[in-house]
């Protein structure tokens, strides 16, 4: 029996197309095995650099918060609905300055290639981490689609409302009290908001991560159709981390652990490629999912990774295995293969 399991495991690993389809493939943590090994550099960064980076990052966001609140006096936090004014210019420029400062503090070195076409009101990109939106602001200040719970968070909630983020109920917990028509109504309302923003093009550029969750960068998972329902052109952008030890992608790694290692990296190289705008065909306009699938393939081709059919439900399944302690978030590919063949 042991020989049979080992033979199956070898065949399983040899054929990449098999495990790329497994639910865990785009969501397992892919740092090198010794990324958290105690070293002189890690001790030095933890003792001397991490506190400085943390204080500076918090201070920068608080400064932006103060600027945003001051600019909203007399008009409310929804200041981006104003006609172009000094207040709007101050806020949008402040967001770009914040992005530059945060990237400098984190040691995030973004290599940006390509040209942004500002006539296209929507950017779509693969999603690796919470720093993606900050990096996009290096190109131009953008608003995004975020979970509804973000709008009520201290500081971040005010900042996200000020730049006209669209808040959606897409997490499993958000729907626990909804049934039938209510859930459908909220989904349709979100699609309508996204479509209106693309059609009217009267506010900040909208950045959407159609995967609906973060991945490890080894694949581009199935795109949701929300960004493509309006049938308007989109501009694809790709992100790819190039760290040798710690992978800054945020998938199943605990948030506190991720922040710790993010702040203890001396340099974090990130390739950002702005692709040409994608103009949908008539068939894609009539079929938003076809439009989404084709853009997904273009982004995957640029990153040289597979375009898969994985969804956020697969990530939830992996998180549940980690919560149940059936596997560690540090598990290797071979650990997952063993789990698959021993169950």
């Amino acid at each position: 029996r042991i020989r049979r399991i080992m033979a199956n495991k070898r065949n399983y690993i040899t054929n990449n197309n098999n495990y790329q389809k497994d639910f865990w493939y785009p969501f397992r943590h892919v740092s090198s095995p010794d990324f958290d090994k105690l070293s002189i550099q890690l001790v030095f960064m933890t003792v001397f650099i991490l506190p400085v980076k943390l204080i500076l990052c918090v201070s920068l966001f608080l400064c932006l918060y103060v600027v945003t609140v001051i600019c909203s006096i007399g008009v409310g936090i929804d200041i981006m609905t104003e006609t172009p004014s000094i207040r709007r210019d101050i806020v949008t420029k402040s967001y770009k300055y914040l992005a530059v400062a945060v990237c400098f503090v984190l040691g995030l070195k973004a290599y940006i290639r390509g040209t942004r076409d500002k006539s296209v009101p929507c950017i779509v990109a693969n999603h690796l981490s919470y720093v993606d939106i900050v990096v996009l602001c290096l190109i131009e200040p953008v608003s995004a689609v975020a979970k509804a719970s973000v709008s009520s968070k201290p500081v971040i909630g005010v900042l996200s409302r000020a730049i006209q983020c669209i808040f959606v109920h897409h997490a499993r917990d958000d729907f626990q009290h909804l049934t039938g028509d209510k859930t459908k109504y909220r989904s349709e309302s979100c699609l309508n908001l996204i479509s209106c923003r693309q059609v009217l093009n009267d506010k900040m550029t909208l950045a959407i991560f159609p995967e609906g969750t973060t991945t490890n960068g080894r694949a581009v998972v199935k795109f949701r159709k929300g960004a493509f329902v309006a049938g308007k052109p989109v501009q694809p952008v790709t992100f790819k981390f190039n760290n040798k030890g710690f992978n800054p992608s945020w998938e199943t790694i605990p948030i506190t652990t991720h922040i710790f290692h993010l702040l203890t990296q001396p340099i974090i190289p990130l390739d950002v490629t702005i692709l040409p705008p994608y103009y949908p065909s008539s068939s894609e306009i009539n079929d938003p999912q076809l439009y989404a699938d084709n853009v997904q393939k273009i982004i995957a081709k640029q990153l040289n990774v597979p375009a898969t059919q994985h969804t956020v439900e697969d990530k939830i399944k992996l998180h549940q295995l980690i919560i149940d302690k059936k596997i560690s978030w540090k598990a290797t590919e071979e650990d997952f293969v063993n789990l698959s063949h021993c169950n």
Side-chain angles (χ1 to χ4, degrees):
R1 183 172 180 273
I2 293 174
R3 287 176 181 173
R4 186 170 65 251
I5 290 175
M6 294 301 293
N8 288 340
K9 187 177 75 173
R10 283 194 296 271
N11 292 333
Y12 192 72
I13 293 175
T14 301
N15 188 351
N16 287 351
N17 290 329
N18 279 342
Y19 63 80
Q20 284 179 0
K21 295 177 182 178
D22 279 348
F23 72 92
W24 46 264
Y25 181 77
F27 306 117
R28 77 172 186 87
H29 192 65
V30 292
S31 293
S32 59
D34 59 346
F35 79 94
D36 57 350
K37 185 178 179 180
L38 190 64
S39 64
I40 295 175
Q41 177 181 297
L42 183 60
V43 172
F44 175 80
M45 294 295 291
T46 302
V47 175
F48 297 105
I49 307 301
L50 184 149
V52 176
K53 285 187 175 184
L54 186 60
I55 291 170
L56 286 175
C57 283
V58 172
S59 300
L60 287 168
F61 276 99
L62 287 177
C63 287
L64 181 62
Y65 172 79
V66 172
V67 170
T68 304
V69 170
I70 291 173
C71 288
S72 68
I73 293 174
V75 295
I77 203 64
D78 192 23
I79 59 178
M80 290 301 128
T81 58
E82 285 188 316
T83 54
S85 65
I86 294 177
R87 294 190 187 197
R88 176 172 178 154
D89 290 342
I90 289 174
V91 172
T92 53
K93 287 180 180 179
S94 296
Y95 274 78
K96 186 158 188 175
Y97 294 149
L98 170 82
V100 173
V102 168
C103 288
F104 176 77
V105 170
L106 292 178
L108 189 60
K109 195 168 184 178
Y111 300 92
I112 302 175
R113 293 185 294 270
T115 304
R116 169 76 180 116
D117 185 344
K118 294 190 177 182
S119 66
V120 179
C122 183
I123 291 174
V124 293
N126 62 308
H127 200 11
L128 301 180
S129 174
Y130 43 80
V131 301
D132 294 348
I133 194 68
V134 176
V135 175
L136 281 177
C137 285
L138 293 175
I139 303 169
E140 67 173 302
V142 296
S143 58
V145 176
K147 289 197 298 183
S149 58
V150 172
S151 64
S152 59
K153 292 186 182 299
V155 181
I156 297 297
V158 170
L159 298 180
S160 57
R161 293 202 307 275
I163 58 172
Q164 297 296 288
C165 285
I166 296 175
F167 302 104
V168 299
H169 295 260
H170 68 290
R172 182 172 55 179
D173 293 341
D174 291 335
F175 287 123
Q176 284 183 347
H177 63 289
L178 300 176
T179 57
D181 293 338
K182 290 183 179 180
T183 302
K184 182 179 179 183
Y185 172 76
R186 286 195 174 181
S187 299
E188 290 178 350
S189 296
C190 174
L191 291 178
N192 290 337
L193 282 171
I194 294 172
S195 298
C196 286
R197 286 283 292 274
Q198 290 175 281
V199 171
L200 295 175
N201 192 18
D202 62 342
K203 299 180 181 179
M204 295 180 74
T205 297
L206 184 63
I208 300 179
F209 303 102
E211 292 170 299
T213 188
T214 51
T215 70
N216 57 21
R218 295 289 182 89
V220 179
V221 303
K222 188 174 180 62
F223 276 13
R224 298 183 178 191
K225 64 182 181 180
F228 310 96
V229 170
K232 296 296 180 180
V234 298
Q235 185 154 24
V237 173
T238 65
F239 294 105
K240 184 177 182 180
F241 284 114
N242 289 313
N243 267 36
K244 292 182 180 179
F246 171 67
N247 181 0
S249 300
W250 182 43
E251 354 71 5
T252 51
I253 181 173
I255 182 65
T256 51
T257 306
H258 186 269
I259 291 173
F260 170 79
H261 286 286
L262 191 71
L263 294 175
T264 53
Q265 300 302 304
I267 297 291
I268 305 172
L270 173 65
D271 286 337
V272 183
T273 304
I274 307 170
L275 300 176
Y278 186 95
Y279 294 87
S281 64
S282 57
S283 58
E284 289 172 327
I285 291 173
N286 295 326
D287 185 353
Q289 192 57 59
L290 174 64
Y291 186 6
D293 292 343
N294 289 339
V295 175
Q296 177 197 6
K297 291 172 184 175
I298 286 174
I299 289 179
K301 183 178 179 180
Q302 175 64 33
L303 292 168
N304 195 27
V305 298
T308 71
Q309 295 299 303
H310 296 88
T311 64
V312 67
E313 284 72 26
D314 293 310
K315 190 174 184 180
I316 291 172
K317 183 178 178 181
L318 177 54
H319 271 293
Q320 193 59 54
L321 285 175
I322 294 171
I323 291 170
D324 294 340
K325 296 184 179 180
K326 293 183 178 179
I327 200 161
S328 168
W329 64 266
K330 293 183 181 180
T332 64
E333 206 162 80
E334 189 171 351
D335 293 331
F336 280 103
V337 173
N338 284 333
L339 181 68
S340 300
H341 286 280
C342 291
N343 285 340

